[in-house]
Amino acid sequence: AGYLASWNVERRPGAFERLRPWLRRYIGVDVQNPDAAMWSARSALPGVGWLTLVGAPLLAALGGPEVLAGPWGHGVSTLSLRHGTLVRAGEGPAVGDLNALAYPYAYPEVAHRLQAVLLPPRVRPFPRWTVGQTRAWMRRFLEPEAWD
């Protein structure tokens, strides 16, 4: 959960082309291709946001729920649930406006802790993006220099 860019299904390829400049500025706004992401949701997370739900299978892959126990910085907190853990990156969602030097430090902190379960092994590219561009976007909090 957090800020998410959406598009008209009938104009999806053009939308991803137009979203790219916005995403270069607003690093905290997420964009996903839900049809592609849902196929790997049980084995990997497509990214992190303000609220990231980590289910029991992914917690096991991380080494157990204790991996997400503190200490955390930048206002990150966790909530243990019956079938997983909810990770909250700060008090509220952040757009991460890089032009205003408002970097969302809590998001990369969560991404680094969840790195082992981020990204499916095979990334399907967004429309009109290469696999490399899509992977760079999805790893923007882990490898910010790759996301142009």
Side-chain angles (χ1 to χ4, degrees):
Y3 292 105
L4 175 73
S6 188
W7 58 89
N8 182 316
V9 177
E10 294 177 10
R11 297 183 179 179
R12 185 170 67 179
F16 276 85
E17 216 169 77
R18 288 187 173 89
L19 282 171
R20 190 171 167 81
W22 287 19
L23 299 175
R24 289 179 70 208
R25 177 176 178 177
Y26 301 105
I27 198 166
V29 175
D30 200 9
V31 63
Q32 294 294 329
N33 185 340
D35 294 332
M38 73 179 182
W39 293 105
S40 60
R42 291 180 180 233
S43 61
L45 294 171
V48 299
W50 173 51
L51 300 176
T52 303
L53 180 61
V54 184
L58 294 180
L59 280 176
L62 284 170
E66 57 277 356
V67 171
L68 298 182
W72 290 91
H74 301 102
V76 177
S77 61
T78 60
L79 176 64
S80 293
L81 304 169
R82 185 173 176 194
H83 297 291
T85 299
L86 182 67
V87 182
R88 187 177 77 174
E91 291 299 315
V95 294
D97 185 350
L98 298 181
N99 286 5
L101 302 177
Y103 190 74
Y105 290 101
Y107 290 26
E109 183 174 358
V110 172
H112 282 279
R113 188 78 64 101
L114 298 176
Q115 183 171 357
V117 296
L118 283 178
L119 283 181
R122 293 181 352 188
V123 175
R124 292 181 58 189
F126 294 148
R128 297 192 184 165
W129 286 25
T130 66
V131 171
Q133 289 170 325
T134 304
R135 182 176 293 279
W137 165 254
M138 295 171 90
R139 295 184 61 82
R140 68 196 182 280
F141 295 123
L142 299 171
E143 300 167 3
E145 67 283 356
W147 176 242
D148 60 354

